[in-house]
Amino acid sequence: MTCTKPLSECRLYAFVDTAYLGGRAPDRVARELCDGGADLIQLRAKLSSREEILRMAQAILPVTRRAGVGLVINDHLSLAQAIGAEACHLGQEDFFGAGYEQVASLPCPLPPKPLPQPDLRPSTSDPQTRLRIGLSTHGPEQAKRALAAGADYLGIGPVYSTGTKPQARPVTLEYVRWAAANVPIPWFAIGGITLDNLDAVLAAGARRICVVSALLNAPDVAAAGRQFRDRLLGAK
Ligand code: TZP
Ligand code: MG
């Protein structure tokens, strides 16, 4: 098992989003994203049941663990804790909308369950490997509130309009520039980022990005990942 990187060293945050699997197995796609240089992989399954997400997460986790890639579970805090994922990602409505104000006050309802491969399970009692919490933000006021809440990382977006989240209004590069100047913890630009607009996102100050459809729709997922990664690492 390889240790996962600290968030500050994570640059490419990829997704296994079931909306784009098109019949591919989640763990196969996770493998390709790892091969492409993802530092973090989020499991995002908006239409799946908790049981289905649990099965997918258990299939993906050995893949990410062997690659030293952090697994992030979208929306499902207790599931993330139960399987020993590295992080859980929550939206504004999941966190503030549910009445939480501090990450430290989130409930920890379940102890980590043994996985089929216990050697792959991190020690969640170790403060270095406790569950990290990422929060989505869509503007400076939300970012300030998420920082005050103790988030471990922020999502900054959607930068551009995107079919992955069609109802969300783009925040534009203006918010990316604001984040570059004002957010002191790791933050990831997200939303509509492609190899064609990546230079503009980097020029606005982003050094970490989330990419969903541009990776999952690529003819060669791993090759596309390497292209994003090389460009990210090349940014000064
Ligand atoms: N949150 C803000 S934009 C977005 C999420 C989950 C979707 C990003 O997907 P894509 O396909 O990279 O635009
Ligand atoms: Mg959510």
Side-chain angles (χ1 to χ4, degrees):
M1 169 186 161
T2 320
C3 287
T4 60
K5 291 175 186 169
L7 283 166
S8 57
E9 290 174 25
C10 294
R11 308 290 297 276
L12 180 59
Y13 184 167
F15 286 53
V16 173
D17 185 326
T18 50
Y20 291 105
L21 288 182
R24 293 172 289 184
D27 51 318
R28 173 192 144 186
V29 173
R31 170 79 265 156
E32 292 170 357
L33 293 169
C34 291
D35 290 346
D39 300 303
L40 295 168
I41 293 179
Q42 181 182 130
L43 175 58
R44 183 173 190 264
K46 286 292 182 187
L47 300 178
S48 303
S49 69
R50 186 189 156 87
E51 287 65 36
E52 288 167 332
I53 297 171
L54 180 61
R55 270 197 297 277
M56 287 188 271
Q58 285 176 325
I60 292 170
L61 194 56
V63 173
T64 55
R65 282 285 153 75
R66 282 195 194 98
V69 168
L71 178 63
V72 185
I73 302 295
N74 190 38
D75 290 340
H76 292 269
L77 179 66
S78 64
L79 193 155
Q81 287 164 333
I83 65 155
E86 277 70 30
C88 180
H89 187 87
L90 299 173
Q92 289 284 308
E93 66 292 351
D94 306 314
F95 186 76
F96 296 111
Y100 297 111
E101 281 296 334
Q102 287 296 316
V103 162
S105 67
L106 282 169
C108 297
L110 295 172
K113 276 189 199 154
L115 287 172
Q117 302 94 330
D119 56 310
L120 295 174
R121 188 161 49 94
S123 161
T124 49
S125 59
D126 177 349
Q128 294 302 306
T129 58
R130 73 166 173 78
L131 185 74
R132 305 292 193 230
I133 301 294
L135 295 178
S136 297
T137 69
H138 316 298
E141 292 314 311
Q142 290 183 356
K144 288 179 202 164
R145 197 175 179 202
L147 289 170
D152 292 293
Y153 74 84
L154 303 188
I156 299 288
V159 180
Y160 302 107
S161 64
T162 170
T164 307
K165 206 167 183 179
Q167 74 286 5
R169 194 166 49 86
V171 298
T172 79
L173 291 170
E174 195 184 329
Y175 182 37
V176 177
R177 283 188 282 271
W178 183 90
N182 294 285
V183 177
I185 65 169
W187 57 272
F188 295 81
I190 182 169
I193 299 176
T194 66
L195 288 165
D196 289 335
N197 60 31
L198 179 59
D199 280 347
V201 178
L202 295 173
R207 289 297 176 270
R208 300 179 189 85
I209 58 168
C210 293
V211 185
V212 187
S213 52
L215 285 175
L216 297 182
N217 289 338
D220 182 334
V221 171
R226 286 190 284 271
Q227 284 183 281
F228 275 103
R229 184 163 181 81
D230 289 350
R231 300 256 303 270
L232 273 168
L233 295 182
K236 290 282 168 282

